[in-house]
Amino acid sequence: MPGKLKVKIVAGRHLPVMDRASDLTDAFVEVKFGNTTFKTDVYLKSLNPQWNSEWFKFEVDDEDLQDEPLQITVLDHDTYSANDAIGKVYIDIDPLLYSEAATVISGWFPIYDTIHGIRGEINVVVKVDLFNDLNRFRQSSCGVKFFCTTSIPKCYRAVIIHGFVEELVVNEDPEYQWIDRIRTPRASNEARQRLISLMSGELQRKIGLKVLEMRGNAVVGYLQCFDLEGESGLVVRAIGTACTLDKLSSPAALLPACNSPSREMKEIPFNEDPNPNTHSSGPSTPLKNQTYSFSPSKSYSRQSSSSDTDLSLTPKTGMGSGSAGKEGGPFKALLRQQTQSALEQREFPFFTLTAFPPGFLVHVGGVVSARSVKLLDRIHNPAFVGIMGNTRSYKLLDWNSFNSDEPETRDAWWAEIRQEIKSHAKALGCHAVVGYSESTSICEEVCILSASGTAAVLNPRFLQDGTVEGCLEPRLEENLPAGCGFCHIPYDELNMPFPAHLTYCNNCRKQKVPDVLFTTIDLPVDATVIGKGCLIQARLCRLKKKAQAEANATAISNLLPFMEYEVHTQLMNKLKLKAMNALFGLRIQITVGENMLMGLASATGVYLAALPTPGGIQIAGKTPNDGSYEQHISHMQKKINDTIAKNKELYEINPPEISEEIIGSPIPEPRQRSRLLRSQSESSDEVTELDLSHGKKDAFVLEIDDTDAMEDVHSLLTDVPPPSGFYSCNTEIMPGINNWTSEIQMFTSVRVIRLSSLNLTNQALNKNFNDLCENLLKSLYFKLRSMIPCCLCHVNFTVSLPEDELIQVTVTAVAITFDKNQALQTTKTHAEKLLQRASTDNEELLQFPLELCSDSLPSHPFPPAKEHLESASSNSGIPAAQRATSVDYSSFADRCSSWIELIKLKAQTIRRGSIKTTVTVEKASPMGEGNFRNRSAPPCANSTVGVVKMTPLSFIPGAKITKYLGIINMFFIRETTSLREEGGVSGFLHAFIAEVFAMVRAHVAALGGNAVVSYIMKQCVFMENPNKNQAQCLINVSGDAVVFVRESELEVVSAQQPAANCQPSCPGGEVTT
Amino acid sequence: MTSELDIFVGNTTLIDEDVYRLWLDGYSVSDAVVLRVCSGILEQTGATAAVLQSDTMDHYRTFHMLERLLHAPPKMLHQLIFQIPPSRQALLIESYYAFDEAFVREVLGKKLFKGTKKDLDDISTKTGITLKSCRRHLDNFKRVFKVVEEMRGSLVDNIQQHFLLSDRLARDYAAIVFFANNRFETGKKKLHYLSFGDFAFCAELMIQNWTLRAIDSQVDDMDMDLDKEFLQDLKELKVLVADKDLLDLHKSLVCTALRGKLGVFSEMEANFKNLSRGLVNVAAKLTHNKDVRDLFVDLVEKFVEPCRSDHWPLNEY
């Protein structure tokens, strides 16, 4: 599909003064795409030029459309000397290439200069006309949608979830080219920005091709990262999950038969044949009316190269055998066999998703992770450097010719790690890995590659169109009651991969569950949780001798297992201290520096009703018969017990007493739990498996035999809980809170501390690091105090070690307010609470039950009778919602008292608010204010810039996402040679991050959107040289541009009856409906 | 362990009004921290001093970045860097341009560009306003003055349009600009008892009645300068004193107009000749710039003081 790209430059405003004499600017604009450049006229002597140019038209290939950014340069015309650049705007036109996304990009863009930052704004209109072209050999993948969101996007329905897609491209970093010595920093930065933009465009196109190959039409959970390897180059890599998505056209229309089984059967499961190359013909999918044939891509050569390390898997079987076996065998085996057959034909049965459609996740095994230490070496690409040195145009790069061996090396590294992950999952009796992610940490020439995910057993229904599911499904639902199914162990009880203590599920009493569960995914929506969750972090530093190359790599890989072990122990202890039994969203980050290694694990702890009650922590001294010591120990023990009790109260953990459970004994029977299987391999051959189960020791007993252990215990107790009114978690939503109001505040906070180089010990280091993180959190709580009651969601910590004695911590999170009065009243009888929670969870599950119905119903293509059976199991849809309303009425009386309180409280806050500010008023009555704001918004929008919300979550509380406009993926470099004048490092970075936010918002607004969801700051590399008064920073952000509509606007009823807002029970209902 | 870098950037720019106030009042970060500690915020929130320090620094940095935009408020409205709700923006601008009357009283009518700067120190010590805050005040006056100086149309409207100020504040600025432009002497000891509000009231009346536009609204000229012709006409008023008949006529007209409205009517009637002479003499001299500047001094000397000496309970201008 070649296309015509049309660009119009309308006007500029707030331009900087370029001519000192007149205090004005003679500005003109260069519009460049590929190798074609157009210019506007010079608009003389104005800081607000009105160019109103003609339409500049570029006729280009769709391949270029995908790869190239549109480059707009604003210059100051100078008659006698060279024209001065004011700044640039890069516009990614990818969103214009999908049929349903944006149709035009139009708006004010900040003009950005890598030295001066934002310098005024420019108004641009961009359009694309695509011509249909049925060229089967095309290299582009226009039309494949990309989502950063790690769940099925809200206004879509997953028809099939195909699986893992990955790709990487490598290039030399322009910063390290010889030419960099003679060009200006600006030119160098711009070369880098442009190159990365080009590379990510290409990467996306290539991933798109793979998706088309799999017969998918979208990539969900797309995660693109840059590895700045310095001398050895620049790697851009991406992973994602290929899916076939259907747009939910009208959420209100309930069309259970819209996806008839006959149509599903027509679709060919992509894994019918493992090799797409021979996939020359077949019945067409409804979406694409052509067949694709490609020359073998690198992934296949890699597959063969990795086959030697391939662990012997069950023989690959086609779908035929899977369905043939449906008559015989126990149900579970059949299910397994089927899933197996579906998954094992995939090279890597990985999913980057962290939240799933209901019923997708059958069992969760536990966290699997793998790390590998590699030496970055130029030896891998001897020819490459020479050629690149002379190549000035990056577009000339053809990955398939001269430098094809370079990505191969990186590919092989990753393939190796993925293979390991796969085998770990297998050891846990799982066939798939969900919540999968990859990361790197680079210091000089050493690189740690990490991958982690959660081993799981999946329901094959979504992986292919099963003709067998009609008979499997109802039985599956019978076997797996709501809310606990995923906790049940996937592995064989008699043949456990590690020593584990199993009990019968507290919920259904039929299946075995482990006593602790660690996962990297979000809390499944149907999970039954008691109380609230909280952010749990394990922090660790280890000193390391400075070393070179090989020796360094060896030292690091020797340290890694110990770090993993300690991080794990810390997590476990902190979890116990919180009286919780499961971790979600676990992310362990190991960062390598010159002279130390840092480990930071973040997760959200919850109490799963299905899992047994955690025991306490018992301290045991090593030296008995010492009176004072004993006393000390018992004192500590008391403190720990107190903390546990306090935490139970704080997080409202009061599980029902279960008679047959042996609670009460201070030391529960020996339970040994470790779901963490991992290994380090330094140079690929040696794979050491580390058993984290602490041998035969009881994990709950902390032995204090030296000062180190003492420190550990102390550090356990020093973690301060957030101030009242605050909750924090690193998952999408806070377990146990479900009455979000609409106020959100996304933020990024960065801290760098310098360690005193004297007497650095592990303990001192640990303490410093711990303090850094704790203080950072405290600061956040303080700053956001006006939002109380609120919850910090998706708290994402990133640690880097930019220099010897510097530790940098970057946090991005979103604060969301919630209705406290509603939260309080959930403290009812347990049964009611469960019911309530089940219903609210169901509502939350997909924010919009109406949509949910049309979403879930069509996806069960079985007879209505069976469907009824399934819904009776309370898993989805209308029945649950109905029950919710009945619960509301039954507890009506209980709420009356809290109304009065609420009204009193409201009156107070409003009174205070009216004196102080408008913002406090907003806080006082979120719903009422929401309506008010909505009404007042339109007039404001005319006069000022439209508000663009940003959030790392996949949803916007109290609003409905109506359209996805495309992916935002931006990379910026900012450099300064006048650091002091710009307010030092803090001033410099503060301004830069504010500018990055501004540019993201401007792009979203230009696409016609009003929010960014799944926003993530993937990289924030900051380097300073205070002596030279210089600093440089690189930031990479991404997210999904969306259009959202406030639910209050959607619902005419609620808008017409503002009185209803006073009732505490109603806002919640309205928000979630 | 020292903190090298410590920042917080919100998608919606976080503004703490208390800290903004402290910043506007010209306190340094450390002073502001001390003041905040004194306000008992630590006890309320359970935060530590370090947290407060970092928070204050952060806000100061934000304000510093915002200051550039505050200098041209319409820019604030269209800028993309800081996402601030419109109500907040208005509040920021309004507080930035709000001023301390004690300070204005000191510089009112003075030439804003020369001389006053070195006096700032004195003013600062005299009024108890920090030097930084004094400078901001003065810079605001200068900025407004410079922008509207050459502009046509209503002074208040111009100020409102270019600085997005509230009506009241814009009027005050109009008065300041008007005084500065005409360089009315207000610093004499005799005038000390008059507040800024009194002068602002006078300025408004003068703008309405004495300027070019007041005479002929078609002449869309500045509100800033006094109408020369009008001043010339005032010279003619001398006849009111010189000619006995006219004096009587004038007296009877004024008396009719004021009868019943004035508590001290009889005293006024008795002293009319003196008072009238004083006023007319002041008015007649206004064609000279020097005398224009001394308008208020003269008025007080020739009109208000005689009245006061007669123990009039209130000043009627």
Side-chain angles (χ1 to χ4, degrees), chain A residues 13 745-754 768 782-783 785 917 948 950 985 990 998 1001 1024, chain B residues 1-2 4-9 11-12 14 16-17 52 54-55 58 61 65 77-78 80-81 83:
Chain A
R13 67 182 182 197
Q745 165 72 291
M746 190 280 298
F747 58 85
T748 292
S749 186
V750 185
R751 274 201 188 182
V752 177
I753 56 158
R754 184 175 292 279
N768 278 334
F782 180 76
K783 276 195 180 294
R785 66 191 184 282
T917 67
V948 175
M950 291 168 78
V985 284
H990 191 143
R1001 286 194 301 257
E1024 55 165 327
Chain B
M1 186 178 90
T2 50
E4 285 274 303
L5 188 159
D6 180 5
I7 57 161
F8 175 98
V9 191
N11 183 35
T12 305
L14 215 61
D16 186 314
E17 276 158 61
L52 203 60
S54 126
D55 181 65
D58 223 64
R61 208 178 306 119
M65 283 190 258
L77 226 58
H78 296 290
L80 302 173
I81 299 180
Q83 186 159 280

Side-chain angles (χ1 to χ4, degrees), chain A residues 251-550:
Chain A
L254 292 170
L255 300 168
C258 83
N259 202 359
S260 67
S262 63
R263 194 190 119 194
E264 291 235 328
M265 272 187 283
K266 256 191 347 209
E267 289 179 26
I268 289 293
F270 96 93
N271 29 17
E272 182 180 48
D273 189 326
N275 186 356
N277 285 334
T278 61
H279 212 165
S280 54
S281 71
S284 57
T285 64
L287 284 152
K288 300 287 164 197
N289 266 325
Q290 51 194 105
T291 50
Y292 309 108
S293 153
F294 300 105
S295 57
S297 69
K298 278 182 286 296
S299 61
Y300 297 104
S301 58
R302 190 193 55 243
Q303 188 175 21
S304 62
S305 78
S306 62
S307 64
D308 50 353
T309 56
D310 207 345
L311 299 139
S312 67
L313 303 168
T314 44
K316 291 177 178 174
T317 50
M319 261 309 293
S321 69
S323 46
K326 71 178 169 184
E327 287 95 358
F331 155 72
K332 214 168 171 179
L334 176 58
L335 172 68
R336 182 153 304 170
Q337 188 183 357
Q338 196 190 8
T339 321
Q340 210 163 337
S341 61
L343 288 168
E344 278 177 0
Q345 286 146 21
R346 290 164 207 206
E347 193 184 2
F348 298 112
F350 298 166
F351 299 87
T352 53
L353 304 182
T354 57
F356 307 92
F360 182 75
L361 202 62
V362 181
H363 299 302
V364 169
V367 169
V368 285
S369 77
R371 289 182 210 284
S372 156
V373 183
K374 297 287 181 192
L375 273 180
L376 302 170
D377 216 332
R378 289 172 74 99
I379 296 165
H380 290 297
N381 47 342
F384 171 69
V385 179
I387 296 165
M388 271 312 297
N390 300 323
T391 317
R392 295 183 72 171
S393 163
Y394 305 108
K395 192 51 205 164
L396 287 179
L397 291 180
D398 178 0
W399 309 110
N400 296 321
S401 58
F402 59 90
N403 60 340
S404 58
D405 58 321
E406 172 71 5
E408 280 297 284
T409 318
R410 305 289 187 276
D411 261 345
W413 289 354
W414 285 112
E416 203 176 88
I417 288 205
R418 289 173 191 143
Q419 209 50 250
E420 247 176 70
I421 291 276
K422 191 178 171 182
S423 66
H424 289 332
K426 214 164 165 46
L428 285 173
C430 298
H431 307 289
V433 176
V434 293
Y436 179 74
S437 65
E438 294 175 348
S439 62
T440 56
S441 170
I442 297 169
C443 179
E444 301 291 314
E445 71 274 273
V446 175
C447 172
I448 302 182
L449 310 181
S450 314
S452 72
T454 305
V457 175
L458 303 178
N459 188 330
R461 171 153 54 99
F462 289 91
L463 304 174
Q464 68 221 2
D465 353 272
T467 46
V468 287
E469 65 185 304
C471 72
L472 271 176
E473 210 55 45
R475 283 159 63 197
L476 172 77
E477 296 294 340
E478 279 166 51
N479 272 20
L480 301 172
C484 66
F486 76 95
C487 310
H488 300 160
I489 50 160
Y491 33 83
D492 189 353
E493 206 182 319
L494 301 170
N495 190 14
M496 284 191 293
F498 44 79
H501 179 84
L502 302 177
T503 51
Y504 279 106
C505 171
N506 269 355
N507 210 7
C508 66
R509 313 239 151 247
K510 288 180 194 139
Q511 306 277 327
K512 293 276 175 98
V513 291
D515 59 345
V516 174
L517 191 61
F518 282 16
T519 71
T520 58
I521 55 171
D522 271 350
L523 184 68
V525 277
D526 51 353
T528 322
V529 173
I530 294 176
K532 297 197 166 61
C534 74
L535 180 72
I536 292 181
Q537 284 195 321
R539 304 154 187 143
L540 189 70
C541 301
R542 279 288 166 270
L543 285 171
K544 168 184 83 69
K545 285 220 168 61
K546 277 192 191 184
Q548 289 303 307
E550 293 279 353

Side-chain angles (χ1 to χ4, degrees), chain B residues 228-244:
Chain B
K228 288 268 154 53
E229 274 177 49
F230 169 71
L231 297 177
Q232 206 67 45
D233 292 348
L234 283 178
K235 214 169 183 178
E236 311 292 313
L237 286 177
K238 265 202 168 148
V239 286
L240 286 179
V241 193
D243 191 321
K244 185 77 169 69

